[in-house]
Amino acid sequence: MTQQVDVAVIGAGVAGLSAAVRLAAAGLTVAVFERAPRLGGRASAFTDRASGERVDNGQHVLFGCYRETYDLLRLVGAAELAPLQPRLRLPMAGPDGRIVPLVCPDVGAPWHLLAGLLRWPALPLTDRLAALRVGRVLRRARGGRVNDLVNSIDPSLTVDDWLDHLGQPAAVRQWLWHPLTVAALNETADVAAARPFVRVVADLFGPSRHDSAVGLARVPLDELYAEPARRFVEARGGHVLLRTPAEVVVDGSRAVGVMTREGEVRARAVVSSVPWFAFGSLWRQAVPPALETIAAAAAAMRSSPIVTVNLWFDGPVMDEPFIGLVGAPIHWVFDKAAIVGERLTHLAVVTSAADHLASADNDAVTRATLDAVAAVLPRAGGRRLVRSVVVREHRATFSVAPGEPARPGPATGVEGFFLAGDWTDTGLPATIEGAALSGRRAAELVAAFLRQA
Ligand SMILES: Cc1cc2nc3c(=O)[nH]c(=O)nc-3n(C[C@H](O)[C@H](O)[C@H](O)COP(=O)(O)OP(=O)(O)OC[C@H]3O[C@@H](n4cnc5c(N)ncnc54)[C@H](O)[C@@H]3O)c2cc1C
């Protein structure tokens, strides 16, 4: 490839590819450098040797309120690969295995959610009414005032503290707020901060009734966005290089390119989209003094794991494409045959905030998962388990507990060096949407910087 490009992007996860696609769309030549042998970072897929199936590193759920994500998918021609439910339907299984779906009727927002909650037989009527108190607070986010609402919340409050203030009964927490917290923040409600939770819930309860609808990819994750993004960048004269770790080259106070094993590539601007735990590896020598605060924050950020157990059975075991589990040691079960159309019955069983599973051995994790699955899906008990694959993502997300370091913005003290990545200051927890937003934001700053240069 050429030794001179307009922009070097380090990292080919959602954030890096989001930035690269926007930059390529703006007519700039882009080179993306990815350390791993595959695209996608924490939202990726691999080939399972035994079944030959492409398996995600973990089931990812999108929502209608993921506007940046769906914009990106539309730009690369892939939006139809992650269809949204026509309206929210959340099948939740109680401790007795009974599935009680939260279904929102076809009326405008926010009435669809209010009506859905009011009619949800999982909860006694008094608890349903109590849940609506949260809806009343969220009304303060309407008209683009979500930041005002979030900033009005004491940053030291956990989700549970905030739910206490709103008098949320135990059953509402168990059936609704706690599963949502663990799914969206990958931390439990007694640990995660209230601010990002409120931001997520305000987005889900957004102005359109489609905002809360669930979107599931019909293809493996890398085919959803990463391969289309790569094709988009390459069709516009850019390059996407795998197995190519990169370091930033700084001349004085300015980023002038990246260094790879094959040599230096000069660039007019550099975007880092590497995660918090890789930021320190971007520098051959010491971190530039102007970035020391960011590097210290990145090094101090804590991570939270997600464990996915893939189970292949010799026949169907569930009737819903996915279910959420209430009061169970596992959190969500996805039927990949129903979602992706795989030949075999393949369940992806997700446990978030999974510190206890991340260090257990595969047999123990699989046994515990099978027991929990059989408790809610009795048909699984009568089927033969053909194969299992445990995927541990030890650093799936950064912690959003109160007191975590401040997250950096996209502009830095080094001229020509910009930051993207879910861990940057988007206001969102570690999500595809946060990553896509961060990439678009960094790309806009780069384009403005290059116009002035
Ligand atoms: C199991 C799991 C389930 C999840 N579920 C959901 C979900 O349901 N919904 C949701 O919205 N989000 C979910 N997430 C979170 C989401 O995947 C992440 O927030 C998002 O993918 C982060 O993207 P990113 O581009 O910021 O970072 P990454 O995906 O980490 O990408 C950074 C890339 O930089 C590369 N890199 C690092 N150092 C270098 C270097 N020196 N040179 C070159 N390349 C380098 C890495 O290899 C990586 O590919 C989940 C995450 C996991 C792990």
Side-chain angles (χ1 to χ4, degrees):
M1 74 162 264
T2 160
Q3 296 307 301
Q4 170 76 53
V5 291
D6 289 322
V7 192
V9 176
I10 307 179
V14 177
L17 291 171
S18 163
V21 162
R22 309 286 174 173
L23 291 163
L28 295 162
T29 53
V30 184
V32 182
F33 301 87
E34 169 54 52
R35 178 170 63 186
R38 58 181 199 233
L39 298 173
R42 279 170 286 145
S44 186
F46 61 93
T47 304
D48 172 49
R49 262 177 281 124
S51 65
E53 282 176 13
R54 298 282 294 157
V55 176
D56 291 346
N57 69 320
Q59 176 68 46
H60 280 60
V61 176
L62 311 182
F63 292 96
C65 59
Y66 277 25
R67 294 199 163 74
E68 295 286 343
T69 308
Y70 277 97
D71 271 0
L72 176 65
L73 291 177
R74 269 189 292 276
L75 198 54
V76 299
E80 79 288 352
L81 297 178
L84 284 170
Q85 296 173 323
R87 66 196 70 84
L88 177 68
R89 184 173 192 283
L90 210 52
M92 300 298 290
D96 60 357
R98 198 169 51 103
I99 295 176
V100 193
L102 170 62
V103 185
C104 291
D106 241 345
V107 293
W111 310 112
H112 70 307
L113 273 168
L114 300 182
L117 275 176
L118 272 178
R119 298 198 311 203
W120 196 24
L123 300 172
L125 183 61
T126 46
D127 286 4
R128 291 178 231 167
L129 293 170
L132 296 186
R133 266 183 238 140
V134 172
R136 271 205 293 281
V137 172
L138 295 174
R139 279 216 307 258
R140 302 211 316 255
R142 301 208 148 242
R145 285 174 300 147
V146 63
N147 286 339
D148 295 343
L149 171 63
V150 170
N151 292 335
S152 72
I153 295 166
D154 178 345
S156 70
L157 291 186
T158 64
V159 174
D160 266 344
D161 294 335
W162 189 73
L163 295 172
D164 285 345
H165 285 310
L166 292 172
Q168 293 302 290
V172 185
R173 294 180 200 228
Q174 194 192 19
W175 277 83
L176 186 60
W177 304 130
H178 285 178
L180 195 56
T181 307
V182 169
L185 307 184
N186 195 27
E187 279 180 322
T188 49
D190 56 336
V191 172
R195 277 187 171 190
F197 175 75
V198 173
R199 167 69 196 260
V200 167
V201 182
D203 285 351
L204 287 172
F205 283 63
S208 158
R209 72 185 154 86
H210 299 294
D211 286 349
S212 50
V214 169
L216 295 173
R218 286 199 279 111
V219 291
L221 268 177
D222 54 347
E223 286 176 36
L224 169 66
Y225 71 96
E227 289 298 341
R230 183 222 293 252
R231 288 194 290 273
F232 186 96
V233 169
E234 290 178 346
R236 284 155 187 80
H239 311 269
V240 180
L241 306 164
L242 299 178
R243 296 187 177 82
T244 311
E247 292 167 341
V248 185
V249 179
V250 178
D251 186 1
S253 62
R254 190 183 167 132
V256 293
V258 300
M259 183 62 79
T260 71
R261 279 193 295 261
E262 281 71 43
E264 187 174 335
V265 177
R266 304 287 285 187
R268 296 165 66 209
V270 177
V271 176
S272 161
S273 75
V274 307
W276 63 100
F277 51 84
F279 187 77
S281 69
L282 286 178
W283 317 96
R284 178 151 297 183
Q285 273 107 34
V287 174
L291 301 176
E292 275 170 2
T293 310
I294 295 175
M301 285 173 92
R302 287 175 309 117
S303 306
S304 187
I306 297 178
V307 172
T308 307
V309 181
N310 296 278
L311 302 171
W312 283 267
F313 290 97
D314 64 352
V317 298
M318 62 193 275
D319 300 317
E320 303 276 355
F322 69 97
I323 51 172
L325 282 87
V326 173
I330 56 175
H331 296 130
W332 298 90
V333 182
F334 297 86
D335 180 353
K336 299 299 278 185
I339 298 166
V340 183
E342 286 175 4
R343 280 172 300 117
L344 306 170
T345 296
H346 167 192
L347 304 190
V349 184
V350 177
T351 306
S352 300
D355 296 277
H356 58 298
L357 292 184
S359 51
D361 67 51
N362 282 354
D363 280 352
V365 172
T366 306
R367 262 197 320 275
T369 304
L370 269 175
D371 288 348
V373 165
V376 283
L377 299 171
R379 272 195 282 161
R383 292 285 181 193
R384 188 169 64 86
L385 180 69
V386 179
R387 177 167 167 71
S388 64
V389 173
V390 179
V391 183
R392 294 176 184 77
E393 286 282 6
H394 292 276
R395 294 184 291 198
T397 63
F398 53 87
S399 168
V400 290
E404 279 294 301
R407 292 158 63 184
T412 74
V414 169
E415 204 184 337
F417 179 63
F418 300 88
L419 285 184
D422 59 354
W423 64 288
T424 59
D425 184 15
T426 63
L428 291 164
T431 54
I432 296 273
E433 178 68 358
L437 165 64
S438 76
R440 200 254 300 149
R441 241 175 26 170
E444 282 172 3
L445 282 185
V446 169
F449 169 75
L450 293 182
R451 273 198 300 275
Q452 284 162 11

